[in-house]
Amino acid sequence: MASLKEGWRIQLRVIGALMIRELTTRFGRENIGFLWIMVEPLLFAGLVGIVWRFMKGPDEHGINVVAFVASGYIPLTMFRHSVGRAVGVFTANSSLMYHRQIKILDFIFVRVLIEVIGASMAYLFIGAVLVYFDFFPVPSDVGYLIYGWLTYALFTFSLCLILAPLSETSDVLEKFIPVTTYIMIPFSGTFNMVSWLSPKVRDIMLYSPPVNAMEMMRYGIFGDKVMPYYDAIYPNAVSLVCMLIGLILCRRIRRRLVVE
Amino acid sequence: MIKCRNIYKSYPMGHGRKEVLRDVNLDIARGERLGFLGRNGAGKTTLIKLIGGVELPTAGRVSRQMSVSWPLGFGGGFQGSLTGYDNARFIARIYGRSYSELREFVEDFTELGRQLQMPVKTYSSGMKARLAFALSLAIEFDCYLIDEIILVGDQNFQRKCHYELFEKRGDRALVLASHSPEVIREYCDRALVLDRGNGTVYSNIEQALEVYSAL
């Protein structure tokens, strides 16, 4: 029992150190430093929101277009960045394998955690600004929003846990990952509510864990203005299965890892 | 005590595999000084990496009942884009040591001065060796794994290493890979000779050196 507690303590220490290291190597100490992490989701959500505003008018299905785009784009950028960062993470961090207390799981966890924190900050910031200018409703049910967000984040992490070791085993796979994440966009729930679709497509869409999470987030924000379709347990169950597969793959790849 | 039992290590090469270590068995007791001898590519560095847990054996088991340093070589274990100070800060954090004490020791031992504010990738191999040595001495391990590195430094560095490692920390265990008979003769109690994947331990250093020079 004591050694388990000690192990946790060491892992927390390592994760803290890795976070700081990752933030300094990625953003440096100049100007706004790690706040850069929120700039990209902000720009994306803001600019795409404005473009859509002019293309489609102020409302879509009774919801403010800017708010709709922002609420979809921020989770999507979190997902795509996390996946992008998970590819080749072991090679990029191989010098860390010199220290036995650092586990390869820590690399993936830290990278995803940074993306999640950055995207959360961006969400909070853009939400506050848009609420002030009346482009964004005050969330009608924060509980749904947070639960949906955590569900989305857990799915992202579990997928990275699989992709990171796989990207290390084959270069071909590594090349396919950017295309795949792009093709996944329609299945992420970013650009539409499930209720806007035909019943047949609806059933297919709900197999996708991020769609369920996105529906919950949107319900948390827009309340009864939208009609959400979701299963609260299903996406997390998928994530747990993915995590289990990911853990096995990580363990196998660690044995084969060649460190310079 | 470090126990290596039936260690095999092979790497993929072309369509087959290259076997680097074949059924190597080895014990390192507290305070023991073991030299690794072998030609280039005989597997000295690989075995040190396995003992340090940097890579894992293809088959077999390494168990450690004392704290073991990371392998001290030419810069392994550093992040090249970070400065010397940032690397020191990172090491202090992951090993749970106070940074201010560690920094003081590193400044004093490495004598690198303002260079410590530069990214490690701009260092010469001698400078990297100084930093690696300083950090691992500051952490205090029961066993140090040293790969050739002791020879890269200048006179002053070698004198310092000698003092810190062999006089002040004379009770620590040591694994030292080297091609130099003088170094092995001076510092080691026993020696392992690696040849075509097989490892043989000799309690008599002169005998080990004889076998090595005949390879």
Side-chain angles (χ1 to χ4, degrees):
Chain A
M1 214 36 219
S3 67
L4 193 71
K5 221 170 159 183
E6 172 72 10
W8 270 112
R9 222 171 46 80
I10 293 172
Q11 284 314 299
L12 283 179
R13 203 163 74 199
V14 166
I15 286 168
L18 284 174
M19 293 269 293
I20 297 167
R21 172 181 175 278
E22 185 87 10
L23 290 174
T24 31
T25 37
R26 258 174 74 184
F27 303 107
R29 292 206 182 78
E30 269 100 66
N31 54 58
I32 63 169
F34 88 105
L35 289 177
W36 276 114
I37 198 169
M38 23 190 286
V39 172
E40 205 192 325
L42 277 181
L43 280 178
F44 240 117
L47 293 178
V48 177
I50 290 167
V51 170
W52 276 44
R53 167 75 181 71
F54 286 109
M55 277 166 56
K56 307 200 171 192
D59 291 313
E60 191 165 57
H61 297 261
I63 313 168
N64 184 306
V65 162
V66 177
F68 191 76
V69 169
S71 67
Y73 243 109
I74 291 176
L76 184 68
T77 34
M78 171 181 86
F79 175 79
R80 296 186 61 186
H81 281 184
S82 299
V83 169
R85 296 238 148 232
V87 172
V89 64
F90 302 138
T91 312
N93 278 332
S94 71
S95 70
L96 293 175
M97 302 314 317
Y98 271 71
H99 309 287
R100 275 187 310 283
Q101 64 272 56
I102 304 179
K103 307 293 175 200
I104 56 171
L105 227 52
D106 295 332
F107 303 159
I108 306 169
F109 182 74
V110 163
R111 289 204 161 175
V112 174
L113 188 62
I114 287 177
E115 294 303 329
V116 172
I117 291 174
S120 303
M121 283 166 35
Y123 214 146
L124 219 61
F125 184 79
I126 204 168
V129 170
L130 290 178
V131 166
Y132 182 79
F133 289 109
D134 224 13
F135 280 119
F136 204 89
V138 175
S140 75
D141 190 331
V142 178
Y144 268 94
L145 179 58
I146 292 175
Y147 185 78
W149 179 243
L150 292 179
T151 302
Y152 204 104
L154 187 72
F155 177 72
T156 304
F157 175 61
S158 70
L159 206 64
C160 289
L161 222 47
I162 293 180
L163 292 177
L166 282 184
S167 72
E168 218 73 29
T169 57
S170 114
D171 292 337
V172 182
L173 200 113
E174 195 190 320
K175 307 278 183 296
F176 274 100
I177 286 174
V179 182
T180 319
T181 55
Y182 196 76
I183 291 171
M184 274 212 32
I185 291 176
F187 303 98
S188 68
T190 306
F191 298 117
N192 44 9
M193 294 295 295
V194 174
S195 61
W196 305 350
L197 306 167
S198 71
K200 224 175 169 181
V201 182
R202 201 178 285 166
D203 290 344
I204 296 168
M205 278 305 217
L206 285 175
Y207 279 112
S208 163
V211 168
N212 286 272
M214 194 67 95
E215 292 282 304
M216 287 189 272
M217 280 189 266
R218 291 237 163 95
Y219 179 65
I221 294 168
F222 301 110
D224 292 331
K225 279 183 164 173
V226 295
M227 172 70 201
Y229 287 81
Y230 63 89
D231 185 327
I233 306 296
Y234 166 75
N236 289 318
V238 172
S239 299
L240 286 180
V241 173
C242 288
M243 272 166 81
L244 193 68
I245 297 169
L247 287 175
I248 295 167
L249 287 174
C250 282
R251 208 181 144 76
R252 290 188 60 166
I253 204 76
R254 178 63 182 101
R255 296 205 78 83
R256 297 203 274 146
L257 221 55
V258 179
V259 181
E260 197 185 311
Chain B
M1 187 84 170
I2 301 170
K3 287 183 189 155
C4 301
R5 288 284 172 273
N6 313 100
I7 301 288
Y8 287 80
K9 183 71 184 176
S10 58
Y11 293 102
M13 195 172 74
H15 290 291
R17 294 186 75 80
K18 183 185 185 215
E19 201 163 51
V20 180
L21 297 172
R22 199 178 306 132
D23 200 16
V24 174
N25 286 282
L26 187 64
D27 284 345
I28 303 158
R30 270 182 193 276
E32 189 180 8
R33 281 137 196 280
L34 186 66
F36 281 7
L37 288 163
R39 302 179 54 179
N40 286 331
K44 300 186 297 294
T45 303
T46 302
L47 188 53
I48 283 191
K49 277 183 189 164
L50 296 179
I51 295 174
V54 176
E55 287 181 13
L56 300 178
T58 312
R61 211 179 133 70
V62 180
S63 63
R64 308 175 192 85
Q65 271 105 43
M66 55 183 170
S67 65
V68 183
S69 80
W70 65 89
L72 302 177
F74 304 108
F78 290 129
Q79 170 78 19
S81 59
L82 291 179
T83 67
Y85 281 126
D86 279 337
N87 273 292
R89 215 175 267 129
F90 179 71
I91 298 278
R93 281 194 194 108
I94 59 172
Y95 285 92
R97 296 293 191 279
S98 122
Y99 172 59
S100 55
E101 280 169 36
L102 191 126
R103 189 180 61 187
E104 212 170 290
F105 183 83
V106 168
E107 283 172 346
D108 191 51
F109 184 87
T110 61
E111 295 175 24
L112 287 175
R114 286 171 56 85
Q115 186 72 29
L116 286 169
Q117 297 167 17
M118 298 289 287
V120 168
K121 63 183 168 203
T122 64
Y123 290 18
S124 70
S125 52
M127 290 157 90
K128 277 183 191 158
R130 278 169 182 260
L131 184 61
F133 247 98
L135 288 171
S136 64
L137 289 171
I139 303 289
E140 301 281 358
F141 292 100
D142 295 331
C143 177
Y144 285 90
L145 307 176
I146 300 165
D147 194 1
E148 311 259 11
I149 182 178
I150 212 157
L151 300 169
V152 300
D154 51 28
Q155 284 281 312
N156 161 296
F157 173 62
Q158 292 197 11
R159 211 166 31 240
K160 275 185 159 180
C161 282
H162 184 90
Y163 171 71
E164 290 285 344
L165 202 55
F166 301 105
E167 289 174 28
K168 251 174 96 176
R169 292 172 184 78
D171 56 333
R172 309 299 165 84
L174 188 74
V175 173
L176 184 63
S178 178
H179 289 288
S180 149
E182 295 82 51
V183 169
I184 298 284
R185 203 174 275 136
E186 189 179 349
Y187 297 124
C188 300
D189 317 323
R190 292 200 300 161
L192 173 87
V193 179
L194 282 167
D195 180 32
R196 275 162 288 177
N198 299 304
T200 319
V201 179
Y202 295 89
S203 320
N204 183 332
I205 293 287
E206 290 309 323
Q207 197 187 346
L209 287 171
E210 230 167 81
V211 174
Y212 169 62
S213 60
L215 288 177

